[in-house]
Amino acid sequence: MSNECKYEINTKHGELLIVDEPLNYEDSKQVCESLSSILAPMNNEEIIQEISSHLTPCNATAYHGNTFPRQRDVMKWTGGLETYRNNGKWSDGVEYNDTLHDNLFMDDAGPMYSLTCKTAYLEPTEKLLAFDSCSDERPFVCMRLPVVPEAKEDRTTHLFIIGLAMICIVLFLFQMLRFGKCMARGENKHKRETVRQAADDLERRALDA
């Protein structure tokens, strides 16, 4: 073996973080969370095939600088599934579904009724999963899910909205101005009629006298 062990691998499903140190399920989950990731949710054949293809024999480097072979292909790797009393949920939030997920396990054996936590582990050479206790210590694979980019703001639409708002404001002010002029004309007309009526009254009084 001449290839070095890889610990961070980019895939279309997300970034895989391979941790060779055996830990139980809960500790593995906490390590993944500290790495801003989750235990790899091995809930479809494509993901299992992808992860298995990267768990191959490699050369690891010890603290003192020497290298040693690591047989990742024959190790059992904890995945992101937690089951309890025949109910399960994958680490990405997907509920365990017998129809969709039983065929991912050896002998199509889904989660069995248990009063204790059960988790799934991957056997890379078989490219299949199996169940065991959450307390068992195994190496594990974390996954950083791809970040969905936020939709970029459409500058044209933004400018259009601003322009439309400005037009509405101008029209409103114009209508207010017209209304003010109409009111002024109405007041002037009323004043003229009042003056004319007063003049007529004076004229009638002069004639009567």
Side-chain angles (χ1 to χ4, degrees):
M1 290 185 302
S2 59
N3 59 312
E4 283 188 32
C5 292
K6 296 181 180 179
Y7 301 95
E8 298 182 16
I9 302 169
N10 287 315
T11 74
K12 67 178 183 179
H13 303 289
E15 184 181 13
L16 301 180
L17 307 173
I18 300 175
V19 183
D20 295 292
E21 181 182 356
L23 295 174
N24 63 37
Y25 176 82
E26 192 61 35
D27 290 342
S28 300
K29 186 168 68 171
Q30 290 180 9
V31 169
C32 289
E33 289 174 355
S34 72
L35 297 172
S36 301
S37 61
I38 58 176
L39 275 169
M42 305 174 189
N43 49 17
N44 64 62
E45 290 183 6
E46 190 176 3
I47 290 178
I48 289 175
Q49 294 281 341
E50 180 78 63
I51 294 175
S52 298
S53 69
H54 296 294
L55 297 176
T56 55
C58 58
N59 287 326
T61 303
Y63 291 111
H64 47 69
N66 292 340
T67 60
F68 61 94
R70 194 182 289 280
Q71 303 294 333
R72 284 178 169 173
D73 57 327
V74 297
M75 299 166 71
K76 298 175 180 180
W77 298 82
T78 297
L81 175 64
E82 184 175 351
T83 67
Y84 181 71
R85 293 191 175 183
N86 211 33
N87 295 312
K89 181 178 285 189
W90 299 92
S91 54
D92 59 358
V94 175
E95 297 285 343
Y96 189 92
N97 183 299
D98 294 343
T99 304
L100 297 176
H101 301 134
D102 277 1
N103 65 325
L104 303 176
F105 290 81
M106 297 180 186
D107 301 322
D108 294 339
M112 300 175 62
Y113 186 89
S114 174
L115 295 178
T116 59
C117 173
K118 297 287 185 180
T119 188
Y121 65 83
L122 170 67
E123 292 197 10
T125 54
E126 300 292 334
K127 296 180 174 59
L128 288 169
L129 303 174
F131 275 101
D132 212 341
S133 171
C134 291
S135 61
D136 286 356
E137 296 185 345
R138 293 191 176 86
F140 54 98
V141 180
C142 303
M143 179 182 286
R144 288 196 186 109
L145 299 177
V147 177
V148 179
E150 295 182 3
K152 293 184 178 180
E153 186 178 359
D154 189 334
R155 182 174 177 81
T156 303
T157 303
H158 184 65
L159 292 175
F160 173 77
I161 293 173
I162 293 175
L164 187 61
M166 293 297 294
I167 292 172
C168 291
I169 292 171
V170 170
L171 289 175
F172 174 75
L173 293 175
F174 178 72
Q175 291 296 331
M176 290 296 293
L177 182 61
R178 288 187 60 188
F179 178 74
K181 288 181 178 180
C182 288
M183 289 293 293
R185 285 199 296 268
E187 289 179 359
N188 291 335
K189 183 178 180 181
H190 178 70
K191 288 179 181 179
R192 287 197 299 269
E193 289 178 352
T194 301
V195 170
R196 187 181 301 113
Q197 186 176 359
D200 290 343
D201 289 344
L202 290 171
E203 185 177 353
R204 280 196 299 271
R205 288 176 185 175
L207 293 174
D208 291 342

